[in-house]
Amino acid sequence: MNLDFTAIIPSIPYILKGIGVTLQITIGATIIGFIVGILLALCKIGKITALRWFADIYTSIFRGTPLVLQLMIIYYAVPQLLDIQIDPVPTAIIAFGLNSSAYISEIIRAGINAVDKGQQEAAMALGVPYRKMMKDIIIPQALKNILPSLMNEFITLNKESAVVTVISALDIMRRAYIVGGATYRYLEPLLVAGLIYYIMTLVLTFLGKRIEKGMRKSD
Amino acid sequence: MIKIEDLHKSYGQNEVLKGISTGVKEKEVIAIIGPSGSGKSTFLRCLNLLEEPTSGNITIAGEVLTNKGTNIMKVREEVGMVFQHFYLFPHKTVLENLTYAPINVKGVDKATATKKAEDLLTQVGLFEKRNEYPSRLSGGQKQRVAIARALAMDPKVMLFDEPTSALDPEMVKEVLAVMKNLADTGMTMLIVTHEMGFAREVADRILFLDGGKLIEDASPEEFFSAPSTQRAKDFLEKVL
């Protein structure tokens, strides 16, 4: 058995610095994914056919192609087509955000449909306009119901963000790989990276449960 | 105050309302009764356009609801509705349920809306519950809050769609008491109900619907003691 962590111990702080990068990507992408996801969901349940089509096609494309491919396409497309230099981290945030918005929009759509139709009628009967009804009455109830699914999406994103290593963003994964290259020992840093991801998942799951509990105060 | 002319409503091939014409005077309390599937609820729901009439005219307080240009939202502000299943907003407290629409629809300031909401809650006997969430209330309490919520908009007319049908028997009374008080204050009310005793005691007029048609339009005394049609007689025999 040949497993020796001593050579990489000095490099562990370097790997740990990747936590910030990974979280940056995950949080940034979730914010984009959430906002775009709500808009897409509203398009999907709305009455305007063109918007409904757009949202359905969008979802279909982002769910129907590999995430790593979307990431690389955006990474190469932005400088080539728009003539803008873009760093790996913002690229990753955009790519993951757009990708996850497709999934989040489906979660939100289902959540909105699950809210009792009577809520909409009660709001309509009080003269509440559609926009306010959605914002204040329907979506808050939908979000409460889908919070577990959203947390799940967030945690998945946190793990899956490891593929940004292909565009050289210095996240946990990439750093572990670099340490491997420098010390000629790949297994040990990768195990360290695995442990870090796992602990992050546990912490995020715990936080998610706490948030859910907080939102259940009206039950 | 309300005029309904030849109101029709169909769902595809299924004609639910087959030409109903009637009127409601200010302060009148009307009980709408009839067998299930007779179109009572659909009729009521047409009055605030939760159902869009297929044809016919509805005029409320001078506004023709069925005109294309009519602001439906404006009409709904003046027509309060109480549902069988309450439909309180579960994520808002009792007080917020009452103040939400006045603040967000009518633009009433928060202090005024809160004051009014507290007065209304006192009226329905639920002032102490103002900071509770609806899930903490009994069915009867929920329905009283729902009535207060509709009243918070200062409606000219109140519609009740089977307001006690989803309640446990011991809670029916408290809701009917609130409705009777409301009738005594001179509110114009249309009530779809199966509570015959209540209809007889509180209503000024009974509308009896069957098969999407208005079969009888009579005072409670007439209707309950000497119904003029066989169908009304059959119905009363079953429910009384």
Side-chain angles (χ1 to χ4, degrees), chain B residues 12-234:
Chain B
Q13 293 294 314
N14 181 19
E15 193 173 29
V16 182
L17 297 179
K18 300 172 181 166
I20 291 182
S21 303
T22 186
V24 180
K25 291 201 277 289
E26 211 175 324
K27 299 191 176 184
E28 227 176 355
V29 177
I30 304 227
I32 302 163
I33 64 181
S36 62
S38 58
K40 331 182 270 296
S41 284
T42 308
F43 171 68
L44 198 71
R45 290 161 58 87
C46 281
L47 298 184
N48 65 353
L49 298 183
L50 283 184
E51 303 288 348
E52 203 181 328
T54 310
S55 68
N57 284 321
I58 302 171
T59 312
I60 296 183
E63 285 276 359
V64 184
L65 267 63
T66 33
N67 274 359
K68 272 264 181 295
T70 303
N71 185 347
I72 299 172
M73 290 306 178
K74 206 78 205 153
V75 172
R76 285 181 180 147
E77 285 176 35
E78 301 189 340
V79 182
M81 184 156 198
V82 174
F83 299 87
Q84 181 178 358
H85 296 287
F86 334 123
Y87 299 141
L88 294 179
F89 304 134
H91 59 303
K92 295 189 179 294
T93 64
V94 165
L95 197 64
E96 288 165 353
N97 264 278
L98 267 69
T99 56
Y100 175 75
I103 292 172
N104 287 282
V105 178
K106 278 190 152 177
V108 177
D109 67 272
K110 198 177 170 200
T112 314
T114 305
K115 176 77 183 59
K116 172 147 183 101
E118 288 177 345
D119 288 348
L120 285 166
L121 286 173
T122 309
Q123 258 181 56
V124 301
L126 290 171
F127 180 74
E128 328 75 64
K129 301 281 184 193
R130 64 193 181 285
N131 293 321
E132 296 278 11
Y133 283 96
S135 57
R136 300 286 300 272
L137 304 180
S138 73
Q141 291 171 334
K142 281 182 192 164
Q143 196 59 300
R144 280 144 70 197
V145 172
I147 293 172
R149 177 177 69 177
L151 290 174
M153 288 295 279
D154 273 323
K156 296 194 173 107
V157 183
M158 284 283 282
L159 309 176
F160 295 84
D161 190 3
E162 304 200 21
T164 58
S165 298
L167 297 178
D168 291 336
E170 73 269 25
M171 292 168 183
V172 170
K173 238 187 201 165
E174 63 189 59
V175 172
L176 292 181
V178 166
M179 289 168 63
K180 184 169 185 322
N181 283 340
L182 187 59
D184 291 341
T185 64
M187 175 61 75
T188 310
M189 295 161 70
L190 284 94
I191 309 161
V192 171
T193 186
H194 297 293
E195 297 289 332
M196 295 303 150
F198 177 77
R200 187 170 200 160
E201 185 192 351
V202 177
D204 300 310
R205 265 167 65 205
I206 307 284
L207 301 184
F208 177 72
L209 266 64
D210 192 16
K213 285 189 181 139
L214 180 57
I215 305 283
E216 290 210 32
D217 178 350
S219 72
E221 297 78 40
E222 270 171 36
F223 180 79
F224 285 105
S225 53
S228 56
T229 60
Q230 189 56 43
R231 272 194 270 183
K233 275 177 202 157
D234 293 344

Side-chain angles (χ1 to χ4, degrees), chain A residues 11-209:
Chain A
S11 306
I12 287 181
Y14 175 75
I15 299 178
L16 285 174
K17 270 192 203 147
I19 293 176
V21 179
T22 295
L23 279 178
Q24 218 181 321
I25 294 171
T26 310
I27 292 170
T30 305
I31 292 170
I32 293 179
F34 187 65
I35 294 170
V36 179
I38 285 188
L39 296 175
L40 286 171
L42 289 172
C43 291
K44 286 177 186 177
I45 60 165
K47 291 196 182 78
I48 304 167
T49 316
L51 289 180
R52 219 164 45 213
W53 276 44
F54 167 76
D56 283 341
I57 292 169
Y58 179 100
T59 305
S60 164
I61 290 174
F62 274 94
R63 293 207 299 188
T65 55
L67 173 57
V68 60
L69 177 73
Q70 293 162 19
L71 181 68
M72 292 179 79
I73 285 178
I74 291 176
Y75 188 56
Y76 290 110
V78 172
Q80 188 177 329
L81 302 178
L82 304 176
D83 228 357
I84 302 169
Q85 281 311 309
I86 183 165
D87 289 332
V89 171
T91 307
I93 290 175
I94 293 169
F96 280 96
L98 295 181
N99 177 276
S100 108
S101 71
Y103 290 90
I104 290 179
S105 74
E106 279 301 296
I107 298 173
I108 294 177
R109 189 185 59 82
I112 289 174
N113 284 338
V115 174
D116 193 328
K117 280 277 168 286
Q119 291 291 317
Q120 197 165 337
E121 290 193 344
M124 279 161 69
L126 287 165
V128 181
Y130 184 81
R131 204 181 267 251
K132 281 190 178 174
M133 172 180 82
M134 277 297 164
K135 179 168 79 73
D136 299 333
I137 308 295
I138 307 297
I139 291 180
Q141 293 185 53
L143 287 186
K144 195 176 132 197
N145 295 338
I146 61 178
L147 199 68
S149 313
L150 285 179
M151 270 319 286
N152 210 19
E153 175 67 20
F154 184 73
I155 290 165
T156 306
L157 207 57
N158 191 59
K159 288 180 296 179
E160 296 302 312
S161 70
V163 307
V164 298
T165 189
V166 302
I167 57 167
S168 310
L170 287 172
D171 71 329
I172 301 167
M173 177 74 187
R174 183 77 197 169
R175 283 166 190 262
Y177 203 71
I178 289 171
V179 170
T183 59
Y184 301 108
R185 298 192 80 92
Y186 282 96
L187 178 59
E188 288 85 353
L190 288 175
L191 286 173
V192 170
L195 184 66
I196 296 174
Y197 278 114
Y198 184 58
I199 292 173
M200 284 177 86
T201 301
L202 291 183
V203 170
L204 291 175
T205 308
F206 174 76
L207 288 179
K209 291 247 161 67

